[in-house]
Amino acid sequence: MSVLHVVFKVDGAEYVLPASEVLQMESFTGATPVPGAPAHVAGLVQVRGRVIPVVDARTRFGLPPVERSLDSRVVVGRLGERTVGLLVDSAREVLKLDPGQFKPPPPLVMEGAQGFVKAVAQVGPRLVMLIDFPRVIGEETSDGDGKR
């Protein structure tokens, strides 16, 4: 059974998240910095009357910053009770992917991506990477109890 996935780009690479985890996509017009926040937190933005934290995917993935453009998007996702935005270079596509298309990432990717990439799928000539949203936005539990 195919599942809809939202496709977004960071530094030319294509990543996907199940559409069920994405609430909406918003243009990025800037964020209010939060004093003392980790470097990968771009700040706070207001989305439909709610204030949410935004994680900069480039910083989180260890990539150099770029000038934000009209293509920059905040992919707003839900994590349990929390709503968090992920700032990406662009996001404007939805793909239907079969769970069977996803394969474990190669070991080199696993090491380099710090566990941010859960799986990869071949879509014609393209490779898309399924991200571990909780880990990317810094919500993984460190005490190993497996809670998500």
Side-chain angles (χ1 to χ4, degrees):
M1 189 181 99
S2 292
V3 177
L4 282 177
H5 285 74
V6 172
V7 182
F8 56 91
K9 284 189 178 181
V10 180
D11 201 41
E14 293 189 301
Y15 299 89
V16 293
L17 266 178
S20 59
E21 291 180 24
V22 177
L23 298 176
Q24 67 223 48
M25 291 187 280
E26 298 283 330
S27 296
F28 181 69
T29 51
T32 304
V34 179
H40 62 268
V41 176
L44 299 172
V45 297
Q46 198 164 1
V47 175
R48 298 186 187 173
R50 297 172 71 182
V51 175
I52 64 165
V54 173
V55 171
D56 186 331
R58 282 184 155 271
T59 308
R60 195 69 172 125
F61 294 169
L63 298 164
V66 291
E67 197 62 45
R68 293 296 166 188
S69 71
L70 292 172
D71 284 335
S72 299
R73 291 285 177 274
V74 176
V75 177
V76 181
R78 181 178 285 136
L79 198 61
E81 298 296 303
R82 301 197 42 227
T83 304
V84 181
L86 187 63
L87 176 57
V88 300
D89 295 349
S90 67
R92 60 161 65 94
E93 187 184 1
V94 176
L95 279 179
K96 270 189 178 168
L97 295 169
D98 196 293
Q101 285 177 269
F102 286 104
K103 308 278 182 269
L108 193 66
V109 171
M110 280 298 288
E111 290 162 28
Q114 301 163 10
F116 294 152
V117 175
K118 283 203 291 198
V120 293
Q122 184 90 34
V123 185
R126 300 158 61 188
L127 261 184
V128 296
M129 293 176 271
L130 179 67
I131 66 162
D132 185 335
F133 190 62
R135 182 165 287 217
V136 169
I137 62 170
E139 285 295 312
E140 72 278 13
T141 52
S142 54
D143 53 1
D145 65 357
K147 277 203 320 255
R148 279 257 177 252

